[in-house]
């Protein structure tokens, strides 16, 4: 066996062993304690100063950011007075993603649970015009049928409930995640394995995050080659890398060197993607994995 073949066998063996920790549930030996310690949430007192530096708009904090949305919904669930609005919000989102043949039944459920004055979860904050319009179209499987109700629900939640949330422990937890998100992360957080494929602008290799033991696919882009072949104009990957730092979702890490760029995407089921950060902000969702 020549040296090249031996190197391939070793790389394959390491990759197969790493796949045992794909879901992060393997033994602690696959996690680096040094990096894992960096993912711990800081003390609450360390995050209070973020109140003055963050944009605390309802749409950004409670709808667009996954971790913010989850914590806000947990806050709403902690008290009964906001429960009707929360459940209506969830069911409308479910309606928009359910199969077409199930939508009529889902629509009837929404009408019965939230729009009937006798219902336990009746949403009295909804205006009659929007309710009447939705009742008329509920017999058909229309896309975005309940969007007027969703907008009215979010408008209601953005008032007093949102102000209550800003004074709650749930919001302090959100500040902890935002502090953690701002901590730097680079390519040293990942351990490279075998090359999975090569393309016109670079190569893709398997890698493992040292802190969590989870596997990712790392695309290494040669910036010099990208510029020479105008890859930034035609490459979808380059467009993703350019927008990466603005995405508030986990599963992708970006970093850069003078000649090469690195994009790390999670090898997860259903191809879930997003941005984790790179030599800059890191998404808190991956930190909690």
């Amino acid at each position: 066996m020549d040296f090249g073949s031996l190197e391939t066998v070793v790389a394959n063996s390491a990759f197969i062993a790493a796949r045992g920790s794909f879901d992060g549930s393997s033994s602690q030996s696959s996690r680096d304690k040094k990096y894992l310690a960096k993912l711990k949430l800081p003390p609450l007192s360390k995050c209070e100063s973020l109140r003055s530096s963050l944009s605390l708009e309802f749409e950004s904090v409670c709808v667009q950011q996954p971790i913010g949305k989850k914590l806000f919904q947990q806050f709403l669930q902690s008290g009964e007075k906001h429960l009707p609005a929360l459940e209506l919000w969830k069911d409308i989102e479910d309606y928009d993603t359910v199969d077409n043949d199930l939508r009529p039944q889902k629509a009837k459920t929404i009408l019965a649970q939230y729009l009937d004055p006798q219902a336990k979860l009746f949403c009295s904050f909804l205006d009659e015009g929007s309710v009447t319009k939705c009742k008329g179209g509920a017999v058909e499987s229309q896309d975005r049928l309940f969007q007027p109700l969703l907008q009215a629900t979010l408008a209601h939640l953005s008032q007093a409930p949102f102000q209550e949330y800003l004074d709650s422990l749930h919001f302090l937890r959100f500040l902890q995640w935002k502090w953690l998100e701002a901590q730097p992360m680079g390519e040293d957080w990942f351990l490279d394995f075998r090359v999975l494929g090569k393309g016109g602008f670079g190569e893709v290799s398997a890698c493992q995050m040292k802190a969590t033991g989870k596997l990712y696919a790392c695309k290494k882009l040669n910036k010099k080659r990208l510029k020479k072949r105008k890859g930034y104009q035609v490459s979808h990957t380059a467009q993703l890398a350019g927008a990466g730092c603005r995405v508030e979702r986990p599963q992708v890490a970006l970093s850069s060197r003078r000649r090469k760029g690195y994009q790390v995407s999670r090898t997860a089921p259903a191809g879930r993607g997003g941005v984790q950060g790179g030599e800059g902000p890191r998404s808190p969702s991956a930190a909690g994995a």
Side-chain angles (χ1 to χ4, degrees):
M1 180 182 296
D2 58 19
F3 181 77
S5 299
L6 179 60
E7 188 178 36
T8 301
V9 171
V10 173
N12 287 341
S13 300
F15 178 60
I16 292 173
R19 287 190 64 85
S21 61
F22 175 78
D23 59 355
S25 61
S26 64
S27 64
Q28 294 293 329
S29 61
S30 64
R31 307 182 185 187
D32 190 308
K33 294 182 179 179
K34 171 187 173 183
Y35 289 93
L36 185 60
K38 295 181 180 181
L39 297 183
K40 291 184 178 179
L41 295 175
L44 293 175
S45 58
K46 198 172 185 178
C47 309
E48 284 285 358
S49 60
L50 292 178
R51 285 180 180 268
S52 58
S53 60
L54 291 177
S55 173
L56 299 183
E57 297 180 0
F58 173 80
E59 184 73 17
S60 172
V61 174
C62 302
V63 179
Q64 295 178 354
Q65 300 185 51
I67 187 65
K69 179 179 179 180
K70 182 175 182 179
L71 288 171
F72 181 60
Q73 290 185 344
Q74 288 179 354
F75 163 75
L76 297 176
Q77 196 168 12
S78 64
E80 292 186 2
K81 64 178 180 178
H82 301 312
L83 202 56
L86 170 64
E87 295 301 326
L88 177 59
W89 183 4
K90 290 182 177 180
D91 276 349
I92 291 177
E93 290 185 339
D94 289 343
Y95 173 85
D96 290 335
T97 57
V98 78
D99 292 338
N100 287 338
D101 55 340
L102 299 177
R103 280 186 175 180
Q105 182 59 41
K106 184 68 176 179
K108 292 179 181 179
T109 301
I110 292 176
L111 295 179
Q113 290 186 348
Y114 308 107
L115 306 184
D116 185 353
Q118 304 301 321
K120 181 180 179 180
L121 297 177
F122 173 63
C123 297
S124 58
F125 56 84
L126 297 174
D127 63 275
E128 295 185 3
S130 299
V131 172
T132 302
K133 184 177 180 181
C134 291
K135 286 182 177 180
V139 294
E140 304 176 5
S141 58
Q142 300 179 15
D143 290 333
R144 305 175 64 84
L145 171 63
F146 293 104
Q147 283 305 302
L149 297 187
L150 178 59
Q151 295 304 318
T153 301
L154 295 179
H156 166 72
L157 293 175
S158 67
Q159 302 302 318
F162 180 57
Q163 296 304 317
E164 296 173 15
Y165 170 68
L166 294 179
D167 296 327
S168 69
L169 289 176
H170 291 83
F171 180 70
L172 292 178
R173 178 54 60 87
F174 173 74
L175 294 180
Q176 286 181 303
W177 282 110
K178 296 304 291 184
W179 181 93
L180 186 62
E181 181 186 56
Q183 305 311 301
M185 172 183 285
E187 62 270 17
D188 60 302
W189 282 70
F190 298 90
L191 180 64
D192 272 343
F193 291 112
R194 55 163 295 178
V195 175
L196 300 177
K198 296 183 178 181
F201 301 113
E203 64 183 23
V204 178
S205 61
C207 66
Q208 185 178 41
M209 188 178 185
K210 295 178 181 178
T212 63
K214 292 188 176 183
L215 287 181
Y216 294 79
C218 175
K219 177 170 287 187
K220 301 179 181 180
L221 303 176
N222 189 309
K223 289 187 175 181
K224 185 176 181 180
R225 189 180 303 174
L226 278 172
K227 184 176 180 180
K228 183 178 180 180
R229 301 178 60 176
K230 298 183 179 180
Y232 287 108
Q233 299 177 15
V234 300
S235 171
H236 170 71
T237 302
Q239 293 173 8
L240 175 61
C245 295
R246 300 189 298 271
V247 180
E248 294 287 349
R249 296 184 63 191
Q251 320 303 0
V252 174
L254 303 175
S255 62
S256 62
R257 287 180 175 173
R258 190 168 69 152
R259 295 188 60 188
K260 288 186 178 181
Y262 298 83
Q263 173 189 327
V264 185
S265 57
R266 172 77 183 278
T267 55
R272 294 180 180 179
V275 165
Q276 194 172 12
E279 296 298 341
R282 175 173 76 246
S283 167
S285 300

